[in-house]
Each structure stands twice: as structure tokens, then as C-alpha cells.
Amino acid sequence: MKNRSWYLSIFTIFIGLSVIFYYIQILLFHNTHETFFLFFQDLSFVPIDVLLVTFFLDRLMKKREKQAFLNKLNMVIGVFFNDIGIDFIKKCNNILKDADAINSSLQITANWTDKDFASVKKNLALTPNHLAPDTKNLESLQNFLQTKKESLLALLANPNLLEHDEFTNLLWAVFHLADELSQRENFTALPQTDIDHLKVDIHRAYKLVIIEWVSYIKHLKRDYPYLFSVAIRTNPFNPDAKVVI
């Protein structure tokens, strides 16, 4: 109510000022006809002014706000990969039966174009489940994700991520996998049906993580070349990657 009263007061003041100025103009120049002519001429430009402000300036401001928001969001995504994502990818790579096939498709370089990134993301979305986890791999993944549960919960609680469905789905997939693994006390006597179930959960999370990783690397290449340089020198899909130049 206070805000509405404040707007009404401002509206009344400015309308009153306009009336006063037009009245003074009539008193000084005694030309009512020209005053009203200029008034309606100015009034005819109001729709154009509204059009310019609403459809152009407003859209420009929203575009800039969206870009600023995406930059902040990518900072959060960067925190995820630095803290969880990269190590998660490496652990899942150890479970793959065909690691060489995925590794060869993700040798990202500075020459990659938007078309290259789009193509590899499309292919990754169709990646079949070629995981072969053993007891050692599952225990390692369980222990790793158990130490990262608080970080995952903190990321899920971030309201900004509600605007990024793909990344939110990724977090839920990883969190679900962590929860599934934590429920198993021993991996040595699991029936094949349960191992197959875990393979599906691991594959779901792994696929979402690497697709988002590709999008994140694309963002770094476009906006932060120095961070992109570090990312490709620590590429988890390049066994020969070295951070030292």
C-alpha cells in the first residue's frame, strides 16, 4: 500500500506540474491554439516513446541481466566441476569398457567451433551403457560421493539453479547415485540384478555430467580463454593431459 501511495503521489505531482507549465505558457503568450497544438503533437509521440522503451530498451536490459545471471550460474557450475565433477568423471572412466571411444571424441582444442561442441553433445546423449563396475570401483565411488554429499546438498539449495533444468537434473542424478551406493554395506555379494540397477544409475549421472562439462568448456572458450586453457590441459578424457606447459 505504501508503494502504491508513493506512485500515486509522484503521478499527481508530475501531472500538476504539466498543467501549471501549460497554464503559464497561455498566460505569457496568449496563444491557446498553438499551446494545444503543441500539446497534441507531443502526445502523438507518446506511443512511439512507449514502444521504444518497452520493446527495445527493456529487452536490451533483460538480455544483459540474463547474461549476467548466466555468468553467475556458470561460476556455480565451475565450482561443481572443480570440487566434484572432474573427479567423478575420472572414477567413472575407470568403469568404462570402451573408454577410448569417449576419450577420442572429447579431445577438445582451441580450434573447436560451436558446431563441434553441439555435435559431440548430441553423440554423448546417445552413448550406450558400457559400464563394467567391480567391487573396488563401486567402493571407491561410494566413498568419494559420501564425502561430497554436503556439497551436493548446498548446490541443490542454491535458488539460482532453478533456472537451469539440465544442471539441476544432473545434481539430482549424482545425489541419487550417492544415496543408492550409501545404502549398500558390501559390494562383494550383490546379485547381478542389483549391479545392473547400479549401472543404470551410474550411467545416467555420468552421461549428464559429461554433457554439462562440454557445455561448461564451451562457455570457458567463449568468455574466459585463460580458464579454458587450464581446462583443456587438465582434460579428464585425455590420459596424457599435463597442466604444465
Side-chain angles (χ1 to χ4, degrees):
M1 291 297 293
K2 289 184 178 180
N3 287 337
R4 186 177 298 179
S5 176
W6 182 80
Y7 281 119
L8 182 60
S9 298
I10 294 295
F11 176 79
T12 304
I13 290 171
F14 278 97
I15 291 295
L17 287 172
S18 293
V19 171
I20 291 171
F21 287 134
Y22 275 114
Y23 181 69
I24 292 173
Q25 184 180 6
I26 292 172
L27 289 178
L28 290 176
F29 300 104
H30 304 289
N31 193 337
T32 306
H33 174 77
E34 186 172 348
T35 298
F36 281 103
F37 170 78
L38 293 174
F39 170 77
F40 283 106
Q41 186 178 48
D42 292 339
L43 192 63
S44 65
F45 281 98
V46 170
I48 297 176
D49 292 338
V50 171
L51 180 70
L52 289 173
V53 172
T54 303
F55 289 95
F56 293 102
L57 294 180
D58 185 59
R59 284 190 177 186
L60 179 61
M61 291 177 65
K62 285 183 178 179
K63 185 177 180 180
R64 288 183 177 179
E65 289 175 0
K66 183 178 180 180
Q67 186 59 48
F69 170 78
L70 289 175
N71 286 336
K72 292 180 181 178
L73 190 59
N74 278 308
M75 288 178 63
V76 177
I77 295 173
V79 169
F80 166 78
F81 280 110
N82 287 331
D83 186 35
I84 303 171
I86 297 299
D87 289 332
F88 178 77
I89 289 173
K90 290 179 179 178
K91 289 185 179 297
C92 289
N93 285 347
N94 293 331
I95 305 175
L96 282 175
K97 289 190 294 185
D98 57 346
D100 290 342
I102 290 184
N103 288 345
S104 62
S105 68
L106 289 170
Q107 300 307 302
I108 300 173
T109 69
N111 296 323
W112 273 41
T113 64
D114 288 351
K115 186 177 179 180
D116 294 321
F117 283 103
S119 176
V120 77
K121 284 178 64 176
K122 183 179 178 180
N123 291 334
L124 289 172
L126 302 173
T127 301
N129 190 344
H130 286 170
L131 297 168
D134 56 26
T135 300
K136 183 179 179 181
N137 295 140
L138 291 174
E139 287 178 349
S140 176
L141 194 56
Q142 179 195 53
N143 293 332
F144 170 72
L145 291 177
Q146 194 63 30
T147 63
K148 300 300 181 180
K149 266 197 169 182
E150 288 189 8
S151 298
L152 288 169
L153 286 171
L155 287 168
L156 284 168
N158 190 322
N160 290 328
L161 297 181
L162 296 175
E163 300 293 330
H164 196 313
D165 293 338
E166 292 85 358
F167 189 64
T168 302
N169 291 337
L170 176 161
L171 290 177
W172 278 117
V174 176
F175 186 81
H176 172 72
L177 174 60
D179 191 48
E180 285 276 5
L181 292 173
S182 68
Q183 301 299 318
R184 274 78 174 172
E185 295 181 1
N186 193 326
F187 295 102
T188 57
L190 290 181
Q192 188 59 44
T193 53
D194 199 45
I195 293 176
D196 290 341
H197 174 76
L198 290 175
K199 283 171 61 177
V200 171
D201 290 334
I202 296 170
H203 181 253
R204 181 194 302 114
Y206 178 63
K207 183 169 68 172
L208 291 173
V209 169
I210 58 177
I211 289 174
E212 188 61 41
W213 179 79
V214 172
S215 295
Y216 177 65
I217 297 300
K218 176 185 174 183
H219 158 71
L220 294 184
K221 182 178 183 297
R222 183 182 65 242
D223 297 325
Y224 299 98
Y226 53 95
L227 293 178
F228 173 74
S229 174
V230 177
I232 61 174
R233 284 184 279 117
T234 55
N235 185 342
F237 299 98
N238 183 359
D240 301 321
K242 293 181 180 179
V243 71
V244 179
I245 300 175

